[in-house]
Amino acid sequence: MIQFHFRHTKHLTGVVSAGARPLVGLILVALTLLSAVAPAGSQGSAFTKDAYDKALIEGAIARERPAFMQPVGITGISLPHHLLAADLMARGFWAASAGTYRRIIVISPDHFRAVKGKYAVGVDNIDTIFGRIAIDRKAVDTLLANRALFEPFDQVEREHGLYALMPFIKHFFPDAEIVPIAASIFTSQADWEAAVAAIRPLVDAETLVVQSTDYSHYLPVGEAVLRDQETLTTIATETEDEVSKLVPVKHLDSKAAQFIQSALQYRTIGASSVVIANRNSAEYGAVPTSTTSYIVTVYHRDPGALAVLRYNDQSAYYFGGDVLLGRYLTPILANADARDKVIAAIRRVTGGAPLIVNLEGVLVREPVTGLPQGAHLMLSDLAEPVFKGAGIVAASLANNHSYDFGQEGISETKAALASIGIGAMENGMVTDLGPLRVLPLSFLRGKNAGDNYVAGPGALNAYCAKSAAPPLVVFVHWGSEYTTVTGNAERLAAQQLAACGVSLVVGAHSHTASQSMESVSGTLQLAWSLGNLVFDQNSSRSSGALLELRIFKQGTVAARLIPIPNLFEVGQNALRSR
């Protein structure tokens, strides 16, 4: 089997030993973990403003101040409520800090079973170490008009899922009014839907929806990482439909909060999401045999706007679809202005981060005469500026055009790529890119390819026997052209790869991009196809997307799709405007 097992803590990185933490850190660990999920009947304790260390919160805010310009228009954030992870709380609020919000809706689990019915809404103004936050009286009264669903809540200071966030809200958005909601753990999916319907009218352009959630609880680090990956796979689908499969408290402390946030963002607002942090309490010095996990998610209507949110505790890689830097693209590539506009459209999303593509054809260093019409041939002199300008670090040769000119052509392609510093990823061979491993596979027989292809799921056993450290991505060439839906054979293959321990399957060949990610077997994230990246087809026939992959220190990965314009048309328009 591919050596990719989350349960093996030897694969985790960056975990700090408890002995390395200062005493105050260990005290915070104990306090926050003890209050994670209280037993039924517990009254909790009042987390008044005097119980908060102003220096701790201000320090976390200062340390997380980003060096980049935060995007305007963030519609929601999901973040922890343990002050142990105060830095990640600050990170989430910093991500939204460029926005102007009149109303902030906070949805938290009811840790101490104080909610008698389904949901409770805070009714009193809230004092924090940074000053008082006013309740949005009109919005609160609107919710309380539905007494079958909402009840008044006068214990916000006792519910740390709500109160722990208040100092951050007051600091970042001093003029905003608050709508604090506590959700009972006994609510059903019908109750979640009812809450979405009730809250939806309150969400406008000046509203920020904040989900207060801690993720896996009480698990050893290795199992917690596995549960985190299942949660990240759920988030990657960008739909609330997968939330019901999560298990409290193995995955998270509030399915209600996760569902409501997901439904509001994806269904009501039309937002996309990016996960900007995934960390375990063991990294802060907590006992590694009973931990809590933290995930920070940010939402925006424009998925491309979220790419700027980059942090030092993670690696970002991008995957692009079909690339053919020749044929009818030749006039564009030969014109510096047109070529640079194509490159700029890619970098607008990636920011120059490493990019891995599917190279559809043969790359040569010298012109070739007597070619048949439409041959997939590229000149390295024209291709090199695109490779370097777009940040391409590796190209998959596992497709049905790499062998168009036989073994001589594939050898020349590999030599040409090497001459410009691009890694050639061959069919069935694992390529180590540092933070991740990539296994390119082609399910399609190419001209002159011989046995250099994988015929289908039945041939995967040999590849599952390979050894590769996690995370492992399979970059696959499969399916039918001009389709956007995963076929039965491809889904079966994805399930088999999931059983091998693969984290992500990224597809190419169809020339049309997937609209969304899929979840396979709980832990595998699937992008059926990225369509075209740079290919000589118009938008009437094709589409494209980039896949962003974030790799966190503990070995988990979060993927998302970002639609891109038709880059062939971008180049054509640039030529016409000369």
Side-chain angles (χ1 to χ4, degrees):
M1 300 288 283
I2 291 171
Q3 301 302 303
F4 183 79
H5 301 290
F6 277 123
R7 294 180 180 86
H8 293 181
T9 56
K10 67 181 180 180
H11 292 316
L12 306 179
T13 59
V15 177
V16 182
S17 67
R21 302 294 296 178
L23 179 60
V24 65
L26 294 178
I27 293 172
L28 281 171
V29 168
L31 289 175
T32 54
L33 293 181
L34 283 172
S35 63
V37 178
S42 171
Q43 295 302 307
S45 58
F47 288 86
T48 64
K49 64 184 180 68
D50 297 328
Y52 282 85
D53 186 335
K54 189 174 183 180
L56 182 149
I57 293 175
E58 288 181 330
I61 292 170
R63 286 192 301 276
E64 284 293 325
R65 178 186 287 273
F68 50 80
M69 294 290 293
Q70 301 88 298
V72 176
I74 298 298
T75 57
I77 52 177
S78 300
L79 35 73
H81 43 250
H82 284 180
L83 285 178
L84 180 65
D87 55 340
L88 298 188
M89 297 164 72
R91 180 179 296 185
F93 280 108
W94 269 119
S97 63
T100 302
Y101 304 102
R102 180 177 56 86
R103 173 186 297 130
I104 297 179
I105 300 171
V106 184
I107 308 166
S108 162
D110 170 31
H111 287 90
F112 302 108
R113 315 297 192 267
V115 179
K116 298 179 179 63
K118 298 172 181 177
Y119 304 96
V121 188
V123 294
D124 298 321
N125 295 334
I126 302 167
D127 289 324
T128 79
I129 54 175
F130 296 118
R132 175 169 291 185
I133 302 178
I135 289 288
D136 185 335
R137 185 64 55 190
K138 184 176 179 180
V140 167
D141 289 345
T142 297
L143 295 179
L144 290 176
N146 184 353
R147 284 305 178 93
L149 199 60
F150 295 96
E151 64 192 61
F153 193 51
D154 60 1
Q155 299 188 48
V156 170
E157 290 188 347
R158 292 180 178 272
E159 175 48 70
H160 64 281
L162 293 172
Y163 193 72
L165 274 58
M166 297 303 153
F168 294 92
I169 291 173
K170 184 62 180 178
H171 173 88
F172 283 97
F173 310 108
D175 299 323
E177 295 183 336
I178 199 82
V179 182
I181 300 172
S184 168
I185 65 166
F186 302 110
T187 51
S188 65
Q189 186 162 338
D191 298 325
W192 308 339
E193 289 283 10
V196 171
I199 297 170
R200 183 186 298 123
L202 304 178
V203 178
D204 57 25
E206 296 181 288
T207 300
L208 179 70
V209 182
V210 178
Q211 175 194 345
S212 174
T213 299
D214 290 324
Y215 287 84
S216 69
H217 285 69
Y218 313 130
L219 300 176
V221 174
E223 186 177 354
V225 172
L226 173 63
R227 300 306 172 201
D228 283 358
Q229 188 58 67
E230 292 170 346
T231 302
L232 292 171
T233 301
T234 295
I235 294 171
T237 64
E238 295 198 337
T239 174
E240 69 276 13
D241 297 341
E242 297 286 320
V243 174
S244 61
K245 298 177 183 179
L246 301 178
V247 179
V249 290
K250 289 184 177 180
H251 290 109
L252 74 176
D253 58 18
S254 179
K255 290 174 72 172
Q258 187 78 31
F259 185 96
I260 293 167
Q261 175 74 299
S262 299
L264 288 172
Q265 295 298 332
Y266 304 135
R267 190 198 308 167
T268 299
I269 297 172
S272 292
S273 60
V274 62
V275 176
I276 61 171
N278 178 213
R279 195 178 293 169
N280 186 275
S281 59
E283 292 191 43
Y284 295 92
V287 178
T289 55
S290 181
T291 67
T292 302
S293 293
Y294 310 114
I295 295 174
V296 181
T297 310
V298 182
Y299 303 86
H300 195 287
R301 288 181 177 87
D302 175 10
L306 296 169
V308 69
L309 300 172
R310 302 280 177 81
Y311 304 91
N312 293 332
D313 61 349
Q314 59 204 245
S315 299
Y317 275 73
Y318 286 84
F319 285 79
D322 295 345
V323 171
L324 175 58
L325 300 174
R327 208 164 58 177
Y328 303 111
L329 269 156
T330 300
I332 294 169
L333 302 177
N335 180 274
D337 290 340
R339 181 191 66 219
D340 289 347
K341 283 184 168 56
V342 171
I343 293 170
I346 296 172
R347 292 182 65 92
R348 194 171 295 121
V349 174
T350 68
L355 174 61
I356 302 158
V357 301
N358 177 52
L359 190 63
E360 283 271 342
V362 177
L363 185 67
V364 296
R365 289 168 288 185
E366 299 290 339
V368 178
T369 60
L371 294 176
Q373 185 177 8
H376 284 215
L377 192 78
M378 297 165 274
L379 285 173
S380 61
D381 284 349
L382 290 178
E384 181 175 357
V386 179
F387 277 113
K388 291 186 174 180
I392 296 171
V393 296
S396 172
L397 307 183
N399 58 64
N400 59 324
H401 284 290
S402 291
Y403 279 83
D404 278 3
F405 296 89
Q407 186 59 51
E408 184 178 358
I410 198 75
S411 297
E412 175 63 16
T413 298
K414 290 162 59 178
L417 287 171
S419 70
I420 55 179
I422 307 298
M425 303 193 304
E426 297 187 68
N427 185 78
M429 298 178 63
V430 175
T431 298
D432 192 332
L433 294 176
L436 77 160
R437 265 53 56 198
V438 180
L439 173 63
L441 294 176
S442 178
F443 286 4
L444 303 172
R445 180 189 292 272
K447 183 173 61 175
N448 303 317
D451 293 328
N452 294 286
Y453 72 102
V454 175
L460 290 179
N461 289 337
Y463 295 101
C464 281
K466 288 181 176 290
S467 178
L472 177 65
V473 177
V474 173
F475 198 7
V476 64
H477 203 75
W478 63 1
S480 301
E481 292 185 326
Y482 310 111
T483 59
T484 57
V485 180
T486 309
N488 291 334
E490 291 76 34
R491 188 173 300 281
L492 178 62
Q495 291 170 350
Q496 194 170 345
L497 290 168
C500 294
V502 172
S503 299
L504 171 70
V505 172
V506 184
H509 175 66
S510 74
H511 300 296
T512 50
S514 299
Q515 300 296 307
S516 60
M517 300 289 298
E518 300 177 51
S519 168
V520 177
S521 302
T523 56
L524 186 141
Q525 298 166 74
L526 169 65
W528 152 252
S529 177
L530 299 183
N532 290 341
L533 181 60
V534 187
F535 204 91
D536 55 359
Q537 292 177 334
N538 291 318
S539 57
S540 60
R541 193 179 187 191
S542 66
S543 60
L546 285 164
L547 183 139
E548 179 189 271
L549 180 65
R550 298 199 180 212
I551 306 154
F552 303 103
K553 284 186 177 180
Q554 63 178 11
T556 49
V557 298
R560 68 189 188 101
L561 289 173
I562 306 171
I564 57 173
N566 185 289
L567 300 185
F568 182 42
E569 294 177 347
V570 168
Q572 287 178 317
N573 292 336
L575 285 179
R576 293 190 192 105
S577 65
R578 290 171 59 200

